[in-house]
Amino acid sequence: KNNKNFIIFSGSYEYKPNAYSIDQLIKFIMPNLHKIEPDIELLILGNENLEYSEPWLKFEKVSKNKYLNYLSNAIAIVIPSNESYGSKVKIIEALCYGTPVITTKTGFTGINIINKLQPSIESNNRSIIKKIIKIKNSRDKYYQAAKNVKKHYIRMHDINLNIKRFIKRLESLWLQT
């Protein structure tokens, strides 16, 4: 991993849950983060350029390959969501590429992953800012945690392993009768 200093949000402002997250990032998180860490930028990967002009803000519509390149170089993908719609795929995809994730309990709803470091589930904008700084300063530790979550997630959803578990469970039930 290189040391580019940017965080990512992926999604269109036209989608209501994304609009909330983008507003949180642009109006609250980044202005306060920028006071402490002026070199960190926010890259919003969506399909529009909103009417904001900040030195730390960039909008870009990207191909899947470019998106994955950004994922692998970002400090983290940040999803300060108040709804769980749409965030699950973004979170799982980021973790599968070894990218640290910062989200809220609501944004994480429905994902069954337990790890001390990743994803980071934060309760408010202040704790999101602290976590961005912490990940920036300890990247290797958080990237490794994200990779470990990927391994766990793959094992958890491995079809062959789940079929074996199912058959074993059926056999044990059959033996009980």
Side-chain angles (χ1 to χ4, degrees):
K1 306 287 178 194
N2 65 34
N3 289 322
K4 292 183 180 176
N5 290 315
F6 63 92
I7 59 172
I8 294 174
F9 179 83
S10 175
S12 170
Y13 193 83
E14 294 171 5
Y15 184 57
K16 186 181 172 194
N18 288 346
Y20 174 85
S21 294
I22 291 169
D23 284 343
Q24 292 300 302
L25 284 161
I26 292 175
K27 294 177 182 176
F28 304 106
I29 294 170
M30 283 304 297
N32 289 302
L33 175 63
H34 203 253
K35 290 175 189 172
I36 304 165
E37 294 281 347
D39 63 325
I40 296 177
E41 295 180 346
L42 169 61
L43 181 57
I44 297 179
L45 304 175
N47 59 358
E48 69 280 304
N49 190 353
L50 300 174
E51 297 296 319
Y52 289 99
S53 174
E54 299 291 345
W56 42 259
L57 178 61
K58 302 212 179 337
F59 295 93
E60 191 172 341
K61 184 176 181 179
V62 295
S63 66
K64 187 67 170 179
N65 285 343
K66 195 162 187 183
Y67 174 68
L68 297 177
N69 183 51
Y70 279 134
L71 267 184
S72 66
N73 288 295
I75 294 169
I77 187 167
V78 182
I79 307 168
S81 183
N82 68 343
E83 296 185 41
S84 64
Y85 307 109
S87 59
K88 290 182 201 81
V89 172
K90 294 173 193 174
I91 290 169
I92 293 167
E93 184 173 52
L95 291 170
C96 283
Y97 281 90
T99 304
V101 173
I102 302 170
T103 190
T104 59
K105 188 174 183 178
T106 306
F108 192 67
T109 300
I111 302 175
N112 186 18
I113 299 173
I114 300 169
N115 182 294
K116 288 181 183 178
L117 295 176
Q118 276 298 294
S120 297
I121 302 168
E122 304 301 326
S123 58
N124 58 53
N125 290 337
R126 181 176 290 153
S127 65
I128 288 172
I129 292 166
K130 287 180 181 179
K131 188 58 71 168
I132 292 167
I133 295 167
K134 196 170 190 175
I135 292 173
K136 177 190 175 220
N137 294 328
S138 302
R139 282 188 178 195
D140 290 341
K141 179 170 119 177
Y142 285 91
Y143 282 121
Q144 188 57 52
K147 287 179 184 175
N148 290 342
V149 168
K150 173 185 175 180
K151 290 175 193 172
H152 168 75
Y153 193 79
I154 289 170
R155 268 194 319 271
M156 199 168 80
H157 294 283
D158 180 294
I159 189 72
N160 293 324
L161 185 58
N162 284 328
I163 288 171
K164 287 177 185 175
R165 288 179 184 146
F166 180 70
I167 291 170
K168 209 175 211 180
R169 178 76 177 130
L170 285 177
E171 288 172 344
S172 77
L173 290 172
W174 182 73
L175 290 173
Q176 291 176 3
T177 57

